[in-house]
Amino acid sequence: MNTAATTTTDEHADSHDHEHHDPRLAHHFDSHQQQFDTGKLGIWIFLVTEVLFFSGLFGFYAVYRSLHPEVFLYASQFLDTTLGAANTVVLLFSSLTMAWGVRCAQLGQSRGLLVCLVTTLACAAIFLGVKSFEYTEKAHHHLLPGRAYQSPEHHDAAAHATAADGETAAAAKEAEAAEASVHGDHGDESLFEKTKHTLSYMTTVLWGVIVLSGIAFGLLFKNPNKKTLATIAGCVLVSAIGMQLGAFSSIGYHQLGHAEKPTDEEIELAETVPAEYAKQKEKIPEPMLARTFFSVYFCMTGVHAIHIIGGMIAISWLIVRTVHGAFTTYYFGAVDFVGLYWHLVDLIWIYLFPLLYLIN
Amino acid sequence: MATVVDSSNPKSDFPIQYRELNYLNCTKGWKSWFFTLDHKRIGIMYLIGVTVAFFLGGLFAVLLRTELLSPEKMFLSADGYNQMFTLHGAIMTFLVIIPGVPAAIGNIILPVMLGAKDVAFPRMNLGSFYLWMAGAAFFLAALALGGLDTGWTFYTPYSVTTGTAVRTALLGVFILGFSSIFTGLNFIVTIHTMRPPGMTWFKMPLFLWALYATALIQVLATPVLGITGLLLIVEKTFEIGIFDPRLGGDPVLFQHFFWFYSHPAVYVMILPAMGVISEVIAVHSRKHIFGYRFIAYSSIAIAVFGFLVWGHHMFVSGQSKVVAVVFSAITFSVSIPSAIKVFNWLTTMYKGSIRFTTAMCYALAFLFIFSIGGLTGLFLATLATDIHLHDTYFVVAHFHYVMMGSSLVGLFAAVHHWWPKMTGKMFNEFWGRIACLGVFLGFNLTFFPQFLLGTRGMPRRYYTYLPEFQNLHVMSTCGAYLLGLSSALMAATLIYSVYRGKLAPANPWGGASLEWQCSSPPPHNNFDHPPLAGDPYVMESVVYNEEIGGYVPVECQGANKGSVTASGDNEA
Amino acid sequence: MSDHVESDAHAENTQSCHVHIVPVKVLVGVFLALVVLTVITVEAAKYDTGALDVIVSMAIATVKASLVVFIFMHLWYDKPLNKLAFFFSIVFAAFFLCMILLDSHAYDNYVKGFTEDKTPEFLVKEPEAAAPAAAPAAATDAKPAADTKAAPAEKPADEKKPAASEKPETDKKTTPETIDKTDSK
Ligand code: HEM
Ligand SMILES: [Cu+2]
């Protein structure tokens, strides 16, 4: 046993100080390499827990799909493949910029890093914007999990009943009452208007956020003492603009998709049932547990969206640190680790997209 | 204090035994504790938290047993009884046993054993402690918001329909899960990247192997518990029909989800205790551990096999026959590594010079109790017998033999073994041993009758029973009182020692692993230089020194005139 | 990949960090490949290939995922330990999925039976004819609490109730036990 090492401590009591004056190196590590490797193993193990966390959701998906394939076949048609695919590409692009950002960090190019991170943040926000459009649209059609779900067939029948013979059937009355209570008084707006209307709460708030954070950013930008605040304002600004972009472009896409001279009947259908469904020639009958699909859909995409939001916070934190010049060629672990997390979130979406949107 | 204060002589041959400035007093004020990043202080806070939770859970247990003194209603209604056993179970599992050895003892000892200054991610470590606190707060909130009556297992469909505070409790479980994950993550990374020069994998103390295996389980299994809890919360709130069969959900799927975590979790509870026993038996028998590699590998084997057997909790749930047979067979095989450990411990003691210190007494109690607990597990793993025994007191007795009798006794052994290191004080061995005897007798008196009750058909989770069961129930309740009193005596002995105990030497029991090389209690940074690690079980490398009252390395015995106390170092 | 740039050329001992840096060309190439694969999977889904559908889309997703993991996440160049960790997470997740999939079909009928017995009104499917009867219940938004009032009477010991009461094969064996328990109440 080596005793000398542990006996003569007095002289060395302060010795760790002069080895470790580097503020970027935590006191319990010997070198940056060790610190980096430690962090890297740590983040990988964290990703392992994430994979297992999602495996619960995928397990739940797999069990229900194998038990009730008809439900998935039926309900997946209500998801808009184009929007899903567009979102996939947006996320993939954000992954590219993230990986590029890591490269910049490794090479010490802090300007490049900043650009990459901001782009990633914006892409994440666009993704969320599109997603909130999709959610709103689902909510409009009562394609919600659990109790809130209402059968689209029901709408269909109700609409026809009302059109055909006024308010004869009790069913139609009930249905309409339910309809009216949910839609409030927007009965005669077009579907897209309705969706836009609901979204408009979000978009209005976002406009407010954009203006405020824009002003804050403008005011603080020049002040060297307020770098952190200015950067945070900038991050909020970028996120809000991104979401707005996502929301509006999906609204625009939706309007575009239906601009080509619809027949009266089609308009009628479009008012009451989701567009994707209305297009179907032969309708698949609605299975009993159709609502389960929307449980799966909202749980999986919801948890994924929470991860996106977490990632956006982490990326903003990176941006703040980048602005302060925290990263160097030998200290860029944080960028790498957040990057790994971000890629994992992307990875999960890569599986979610075909599993939810592409069921034929 | 038999020590000489002479800090001016750095050439002394003795390791420093005691430092005026150590991790306990190097900084002062509540902030220095609540915002500390020092793994030892975090461990101490965990230990205090776990102890409080243990006595709270114990109080519930005593109330439950008192109610069962007679088949008539005494002071608990049926509903009250349900809530009480649920909270007892939930607190004991999630707040006491799971964090007990790894988070409390492991946090204090693991980095010191590795000769490291801290765990890999000190901030995450503190975070995990606060998550534990938050989880505990949610449990208390559940208690305040109308209790919880689902059992610690939260089985659906009952948990979806009951009006009690299931959501609050589940949120607590979710948060505690993350606390546990972060601890595990930290340990894996620390063991991988921060071993000192000379410590190869097979020179690591077995406690570290055990913690490593535990951490693997924590990291791989706990996320599934997290998502299960989350889904159940969503199910209960929005009725989305995942687990609720009324809505087309699948209640057995919930059991799969739950046990995919919770069976491995029972190994989270037992593996660290097994690691403790490996240390305690070797040190207090003053003999090299027998079959080092077997014990090390069996920890990993238990961790891996532990993932493959969860279905044995579901034999009568409607699970398919093929799956049941597979799970039964694998369950049998998982007992092999456990048996390997027991044999190796026994062989370690063979021809050793055993000292019946308090820690060793607890270790012996562990061996006895764990053997019974493990063997009764085999009855339960047999498909046919389990049909009869499932959901009876036999299961209750089985898991108390392994959880209370083994995991907690393992924690007690650990606390006594490392108490001098943690606090720098020696406790009174006499009262420690009396408490140990009381725990052992009380425990067996409480739970052995429950095996008999179970085989005779007494179902679990009932607040009443047939009159002919009364004798055994009364026995059990008496045992519980004895157990409670003895635990209180143990706590009293230990707490008393903090104020009045003798100063502890650096190495009171003669251990050869690194934690015995730094002074008791360790300074803030543990070691000023990474120590050189040798074989942690060569007990001959240290000899007893009268003057110090503890063990010192052989090399410096003889030249015993140096300083053994230093002061004033380590002002940082 | 021959392109092994070590970040940090000059360094004192502690101030260096050796990692692999992926060239921009590769990054952009991977991104383009990912986009192409996305298009392929969307197109492929338009053809009805029956059971193959899932397999094809999962295979494409796996190719995409591997690209992300190995290139974007640098796992290809990473330490074996990190590779192992990730590999194990996949193995465990797959094992978990396989077991629950294998099992869920076995008891599906019991669950279905239960569902049919106890379905709450709001879920009962309303064909046009049945609508008037069922609709009011749905519209009045029956509170969940209403139908759970009765539940607390059944104690948690009922956990296994659906199984015990709906499991024909083991009925013979469980009977004595069940009797035992009801007796001892
Ligand atoms: C050594 C081999 C072991 C075997 C073969 C084994 C086997 C079993 C089996 C088959 C059951 C299910 C009984 C039933 O519900 O019908 C069971 C229950 C249980 N076991 Fe073990 N076990 C072992 C070790 C352990 C250990 C080490 C622990 C914890 C530290 C533990 C904790 C539990 C718990 C908590 C339950 C009951 C859970 C509940 O239903 O509330 N077991 N064991
Ligand atoms: Cu088990």
Side-chain angles (χ1 to χ4, degrees), chain A residues 22-234:
Chain A
D22 184 349
R24 290 187 174 107
L25 186 59
H27 84 286
H28 56 295
F29 293 118
D30 296 330
S31 65
H32 279 283
Q33 185 73 44
Q34 188 193 18
Q35 176 166 314
F36 177 78
D37 289 344
T38 307
K40 188 113 176 180
L41 181 60
I43 188 72
W44 272 108
I45 290 174
F46 179 72
L47 296 189
V48 165
T49 69
E50 286 282 4
V51 168
L52 278 141
F53 188 76
F54 275 98
S55 82
L57 287 171
F58 281 105
F60 157 48
Y61 174 93
V63 165
Y64 282 99
R65 182 153 178 195
S66 78
L67 288 181
H68 310 287
E70 75 286 354
V71 168
F72 284 73
L73 205 57
Y74 169 79
S76 143
Q77 58 186 334
F78 297 118
L79 301 187
D80 190 321
T81 311
T82 316
L83 284 183
N87 247 353
T88 311
V89 175
V90 168
L91 263 199
L92 289 175
F93 185 72
S94 77
S95 249
L96 168 69
T97 51
M98 193 73 225
W100 200 327
V102 172
R103 183 191 145 84
C104 292
Q106 288 167 334
L107 294 172
Q109 305 163 341
S110 48
R111 175 158 307 207
L113 174 60
L114 196 61
V115 172
C116 284
L117 288 177
V118 170
T119 319
T120 313
L121 186 66
C123 285
I126 293 177
F127 180 91
L128 282 188
V130 175
K131 205 85 221 125
S132 40
F133 171 81
E134 289 191 76
Y135 278 5
T136 319
E137 198 213 17
K138 294 288 158 308
H140 257 286
H141 300 304
H142 305 280
L143 298 173
L144 289 167
R147 193 176 269 281
Y149 175 87
Q150 275 175 26
S151 163
E153 313 273 346
H154 180 75
H155 286 226
D156 200 8
H160 280 300
T162 335
D165 36 21
E167 308 199 337
T168 45
K173 217 197 284 180
E174 284 295 339
E176 214 194 20
E179 194 92 332
S181 68
V182 178
H183 294 310
D185 45 358
H186 315 293
D188 43 23
E189 286 176 47
S190 79
L191 173 70
F192 317 113
E193 291 303 319
K194 278 188 231 162
T195 310
K196 225 159 78 180
H197 180 83
T198 320
L199 261 187
S200 72
Y201 294 120
M202 188 183 93
T203 45
T204 316
V205 173
L206 281 179
W207 282 130
V209 173
I210 290 177
V211 171
L212 285 181
S213 58
I215 293 171
F217 182 68
L219 288 180
L220 296 168
F221 182 61
K222 288 274 155 61
N223 189 339
N225 298 326
K226 295 274 163 61
K227 254 188 189 169
T228 309
L229 278 181
T231 323
I232 292 174

Side-chain angles (χ1 to χ4, degrees), chain A residues 276-358:
Chain A
E276 297 284 310
Y277 183 61
K279 272 190 265 170
Q280 292 264 311
K281 288 285 168 317
E282 285 167 61
K283 298 203 174 71
I284 313 168
E286 185 199 3
M288 160 111 167
L289 292 174
R291 69 185 63 231
T292 309
F293 176 83
F294 292 99
S295 308
V296 174
Y297 171 78
F298 276 98
C299 284
M300 293 183 101
T301 54
V303 173
H304 180 259
I306 291 173
H307 278 80
I308 296 263
I309 294 172
M312 286 169 73
I313 295 172
I315 293 171
S316 308
W317 171 73
L318 286 185
I319 294 177
V320 172
R321 295 194 64 188
T322 310
V323 168
H324 283 287
F327 302 117
T328 67
T329 48
Y330 57 87
Y331 180 78
F332 53 83
V335 184
D336 200 0
F337 308 152
V338 172
L340 287 176
Y341 168 82
W342 190 251
H343 294 310
L344 189 88
V345 175
D346 183 24
L347 200 87
I348 284 161
W349 183 258
I350 287 180
Y351 279 99
L352 284 184
F353 171 58
L355 284 178
L356 293 172
Y357 289 77
L358 301 179

Side-chain angles (χ1 to χ4, degrees), chain C residues 23-90:
Chain C
V24 174
K25 259 192 242 157
V26 176
L27 290 179
V28 175
V30 167
F31 170 69
L32 292 179
L34 287 171
V35 172
V36 170
L37 284 168
T38 308
V39 173
I40 292 179
T41 188
V42 171
E43 289 307 314
K46 288 186 182 152
Y47 301 97
D48 191 355
T49 43
L52 265 179
D53 251 7
V54 191
I55 299 173
V56 170
S57 63
M58 283 300 94
I60 297 179
T62 306
V63 173
K64 286 164 75 181
S66 327
L67 280 176
V68 171
V69 169
F70 286 126
I71 310 295
F72 280 174
M73 295 169 89
H74 303 185
L75 196 62
W76 190 261
Y77 321 99
D78 216 327
K79 292 212 159 77
L81 180 63
N82 298 344
K83 285 183 190 162
L84 200 72
F86 195 68
F87 173 73
F88 259 90
S89 73
I90 305 286

Side-chain angles (χ1 to χ4, degrees), chain B residues 94-113:
Chain B
F94 295 116
L95 289 179
V96 178
I97 302 187
I98 289 182
V101 180
I105 304 293
N107 247 329
I108 304 175
I109 296 302
L110 175 134
V112 193
M113 255 186 173

